[in-house]
Amino acid sequence: MTTLYHRWRHLSRPASVAADFHAVGAWLAWFQQATVGPAQALEMDGGTVGRLRDRFREEPDIGAVSDRLVRTHDRLRRSCAPRTAVHGDLWHGNVLVSEGAVSGVVDWEAGAPIGEPLRDLVRFPLIYALSLDRHTRSGRPVAGHPGLRAGPWGTGVEYALEGKGWFPELFRAFLRAGLDRLGVASDCWRDAAVAGIAEIAATTDDLDFGRRHLQLFGRLSDG
């Protein structure tokens, strides 16, 4: 899917992007249904808070940021969802497509036979949004996305969570549909997304990439 993602004007066309989201959403629905297990409270921590506090212990605001993450996890635990198998790193670079459908998913290093299905649900749209402005000069409008200008790292994710337009609507609809399918209230979508940002910060091998996600979580998380 990476080849499609970086194809000229692919990200500016609503129909092209919607097809990507539809393909991954259909595969994820099949994958989770095929591995469905007992329902449990949503658990997006899995050691994330501890890893963040240790990994970024020299960051001056790590205490306040991690406390906000604890509160986010606590809100999510009020809901339940079935445990399923988890890929653990579901982004467009690991997705193979053929004739508009997912033909395979690679790189299962972070996978688990039983885990929190929201991890896969939020990872794909977050990484997809991350580079919306990658091919646009800073300060310039991003083609096909009214209201979005290329800016600081993470601008595309901020736009997806807080902006207006067809892409933010598609991003949120993808999350809401996945939550509905799992039996979770769809208004949990934002907490699930920001918890996913924090998980990337805690688990990515690239320390700078992780730090940028930590800062992005700090900008987008609620109190």
Side-chain angles (χ1 to χ4, degrees), residues 31-156:
F31 175 65
Q32 292 178 339
Q33 182 59 42
T35 60
V36 68
Q40 297 181 24
L42 295 181
E43 185 52 76
M44 287 290 284
D45 184 358
T48 296
V49 172
R51 286 194 293 270
L52 286 177
R53 286 174 174 166
D54 181 62
R55 190 176 204 187
F56 300 107
R57 56 186 175 274
E58 296 180 1
E59 295 290 323
D61 58 349
I62 186 60
V65 170
S66 59
D67 286 347
R68 291 211 301 276
L69 180 57
V70 168
R71 291 193 289 272
T72 300
H73 289 157
D74 285 345
R75 288 193 296 270
L76 288 169
R77 290 189 185 102
R78 298 170 190 167
S79 299
C80 292
R83 299 293 83 125
T84 71
V86 175
H87 179 273
D89 193 17
L90 187 64
W91 68 289
H92 56 269
N94 286 334
V95 176
L96 308 178
V97 293
S98 176
E99 298 182 353
V102 173
S103 58
V105 178
V106 300
D107 191 3
W108 290 81
E109 182 179 354
I114 301 176
E116 176 52 66
L118 265 64
R119 294 177 59 211
D120 286 340
L121 179 66
V122 301
R123 178 70 63 97
F124 174 77
L126 284 172
I127 300 299
Y128 200 103
L130 187 61
S131 297
L132 283 181
D133 61 343
R134 176 175 174 178
H135 300 298
T136 305
R137 188 176 301 173
S138 181
R140 299 290 298 276
V142 178
H145 297 275
L148 175 62
R149 289 181 176 272
W153 191 95
T155 293

Side-chain angles (χ1 to χ4, degrees), residues 4-18 20 128 131-136 141-146 148 159 166-167 170:
L4 293 175
Y5 185 90
H6 291 294
R7 184 173 292 173
W8 176 250
R9 296 294 189 183
H10 182 83
L11 296 180
S12 68
R13 299 186 179 100
S16 299
V17 176
D20 292 345
Y128 200 103
S131 297
L132 283 181
D133 61 343
R134 176 175 174 178
H135 300 298
T136 305
V142 178
H145 297 275
L148 175 62
Y159 174 65
W166 65 264
F167 182 80
L170 178 63

Side-chain angles (χ1 to χ4, degrees), residues 18-32 90 102 121 124 174 178 181:
D20 292 345
F21 275 66
H22 175 75
V24 172
W27 179 85
L28 190 57
W30 165 81
F31 175 65
Q32 292 178 339
L90 187 64
V102 173
L121 179 66
F124 174 77
F174 180 88
R181 177 169 45 78

